Amino acid sequence: MDLSYGPKYEAFREEVRAFLEGEKHNAPSASIGLSEGSGQVRDWQKKLVEHGYASRTVPRDYGGFGAAPDLLENIIIDEEFRRAGASRGMANQGISMFVPTLLQYGSEEQKRRYIGPTIRGEMIWCQGYSEPGSGSDLASLKTSAVLDGDEFVINGQKIWTSTAREAQMMFALVRTEPDAPKHEGISYLLVDMKSPGITIRPLVMMTGQAGFNEVFFDNVRVPREILIGRRGQGWEVGKATLIHERNMLGAADLTESTYLGCVDVLREFGVLDHGVYRDRLMKLAARTQAMKYHSMRMLTDRLKKRPPNAAALIMKLNGCQLNHDIAKLAIDAMEEVGTLKRGSRHARADGAWQIGYMFQLGLIIGGGTAQIQKNIISEIGLGMPREPKAGTGTLSRR
């Protein structure tokens, strides 16, 4: 594998470094929550979009920079921002998941209306997928949308909805064709979160934060033109969004950065040369490197326009568990300091390790549980038969 970038890309690297040098006084720290729409983060986000360091390939007609897709440029941007400790801007569900889906399935009017405000951080989105009883088996969802004139009328409930209280809009999967097979009866709708009939209840996590919510729909009316794709095509559209979510949850560069932060913690607390901690650290180093090289293999596939198939699922599966294990080692190395919560003046990194440890545990379940990921990898990656359905003793086929 040739790991060199060549003169063209090294010149681009210098361009990125010059930008960061000139704007470093405006750059939020990389440790700032990227999904939080604070004024500083939004201002930084707009600057990044303007210069092509965020939403780089989104067409100019929709508010983006309009650059041609170039994976190596994207990697160089990531490397240089990480080296400078500068935020890469907002990385919420709207920017990372909804915009790519809308570019693929949205109408021209929908793209012009929603993409610009979203990538500039002016419009925050939440995802309305999971329901009580419809998590891993998402296709069994029951929230309904009935067409009444020019409006859909939505009734039902969503759960585990991140940022529902901050979001202006939701992209949601709802059942519009009750008599169709379950995968063919779902549509992908957009919902204004200020619509009458919506009730939001926060769910406090073990981190002490209320990042998740329950969302209830009681005769919520939305215009029919906010349907993305065709009626009954929602499962296909929704799967496209999930692929972007899993890519977001398995970023190898972020995991490597987290690992290096853990090394700093072990050094600070004087246990870097302790046999037990060093053994754990080396095992994590091996897994981090394996993930990094797996990511580079995927990059090669993408450059050669080969589909990632099960490889992308491996990134999500491994990334969430690995980030959780790295945070666990950092907390153990801190000993009694590791038990402190955010807000304590003695907590390191304002409690980010403790929150990361608990939050990553949730991500092992979210976006498709680890068990679901393993099943799919075994089926499409290894060609193994599907898991028998409970109580039938028989194998089912897709």
Side-chain angles (χ1 to χ4, degrees):
M1 179 182 291
D2 182 4
L3 299 180
S4 65
Y5 287 94
K8 170 188 170 185
Y9 290 105
E10 291 305 330
F12 178 73
R13 185 187 300 280
E14 291 303 316
E15 178 184 322
V16 180
R17 286 182 177 178
F19 169 81
L20 288 169
E21 182 64 25
E23 297 288 346
K24 60 183 178 183
H25 59 289
N26 292 320
S29 167
S31 62
I32 289 180
L34 300 180
S35 63
E36 299 170 4
S38 70
Q40 185 188 23
V41 171
R42 277 198 296 270
D43 289 345
W44 183 241
Q45 176 72 14
K46 292 175 183 176
K47 190 177 291 291
L48 295 184
V49 172
E50 177 186 344
H51 288 81
Y53 299 126
S55 301
R56 182 174 179 80
T57 59
V58 173
R60 285 187 178 273
D61 285 349
Y62 309 137
F65 187 71
D70 191 318
L71 291 173
L72 295 182
E73 287 185 350
N74 288 340
I75 289 174
I76 289 171
I77 293 171
D78 286 338
E79 289 177 348
E80 292 306 316
F81 273 68
R82 188 167 58 246
R83 185 186 63 81
S87 167
R88 286 284 278 113
M90 301 176 73
N92 56 40
Q93 296 175 329
I95 295 171
S96 303
M97 297 160 55
F98 175 66
V99 167
T101 303
L102 194 62
L103 284 169
Q104 185 175 357
Y105 289 98
S107 69
E108 184 66 19
E109 193 278 334
Q110 290 166 344
K111 294 173 185 175
R112 291 184 180 276
R113 181 176 179 181
Y114 294 116
I115 291 179
T118 301
I119 64 176
R120 292 192 299 271
E122 299 164 356
M123 182 179 286
I124 305 299
W125 293 77
C126 60
Q127 180 191 52
Y129 275 24
S130 295
E131 299 180 6
S134 299
S136 298
D137 184 18
L138 184 59
S140 67
L141 63 85
K142 293 181 172 55
T143 295
S144 66
V146 177
L147 192 59
D148 180 18
D150 290 332
E151 296 178 319
F152 284 103
V153 182
I154 305 175
N155 283 284
Q157 179 190 354
K158 297 293 180 181
I159 195 169
W160 311 123
T161 310
S162 305
T163 67
R165 288 172 297 156
E166 297 82 14
Q168 289 86 40
M169 296 290 293
M170 168 187 283
F171 51 93
L173 293 179
V174 295
R175 189 163 299 283
T176 55
E177 325 298 320
D179 297 326
K182 65 179 185 179
H183 288 84
E184 299 171 13
I186 297 171
S187 294
Y188 193 105
L189 295 183
L190 310 183
V191 183
D192 186 332
M193 294 299 286
K194 291 185 178 179
S195 302
I198 292 181
T199 302
I200 303 172
R201 295 178 184 169
L203 296 170
V204 179
M205 301 182 292
M206 59 181 171
T207 62
Q209 301 168 318
F212 294 121
N213 304 272
E214 295 177 289
V215 181
F216 299 87
F217 300 88
D218 182 10
N219 290 317
V220 175
R221 305 185 76 89
V222 298
R224 66 183 302 173
E225 63 263 25
I226 45 70
L227 172 70
I228 306 298
R230 305 186 307 276
R231 281 184 63 167
Q233 194 185 12
W235 185 250
E236 175 186 329
V237 182
K239 283 199 303 180
T241 302
L242 285 177
I243 289 173
H244 296 299
E245 179 182 32
R246 287 165 185 165
N247 288 342
M248 183 175 68
L249 294 177
D253 59 331
L254 293 179
T255 297
E256 185 176 31
S257 178
T258 303
Y259 168 79
L260 294 175
C262 180
V263 174
D264 290 340
V265 170
L266 267 63
R267 183 179 292 110
E268 177 186 352
F269 283 82
V271 295
L272 189 58
D273 294 325
H274 187 287
V276 173
Y277 285 102
R278 197 171 188 83
D279 180 64
R280 290 174 61 184
L281 187 66
M282 290 302 97
K283 289 177 180 175
L284 293 173
R287 291 168 60 190
T288 302
Q289 286 299 303
M291 186 173 174
K292 177 180 180 180
Y293 292 126
H294 179 68
S295 174
M296 297 174 76
R297 183 172 61 180
M298 287 179 58
L299 171 63
T300 301
D301 286 339
R302 293 172 69 184
L303 289 170
K304 295 181 180 297
K305 302 189 183 307
R306 295 193 293 250
N309 297 325
L313 300 175
I314 293 171
M315 288 295 291
K316 192 272 180 184
L317 174 67
N318 187 52
C320 295
Q321 184 66 58
L322 181 53
N323 288 331
H324 177 69
D325 293 343
I326 292 172
K328 184 177 189 304
L329 176 57
I331 291 171
D332 288 347
M334 295 179 197
E335 298 183 337
E336 66 271 21
V337 176
T339 64
L340 297 176
K341 295 181 179 179
R342 170 169 286 179
S344 168
R345 64 189 180 92
H346 299 293
R348 298 298 191 274
D350 194 23
W353 288 105
Q354 290 86 343
I355 289 177
Y357 171 74
M358 292 182 281
F359 187 70
Q360 290 293 336
L361 184 62
L363 291 184
I364 294 171
I365 301 170
T369 67
Q371 289 74 19
I372 292 293
Q373 303 293 315
K374 290 177 181 176
N375 279 351
I376 299 174
I377 291 168
S378 69
E379 292 164 17
I380 68 174
L382 303 176
M384 297 176 68
R386 291 198 62 168
E387 184 179 33
K389 287 187 175 180
T392 64
T394 60
L395 300 178
S396 59
R397 301 287 182 187
R398 287 184 187 282

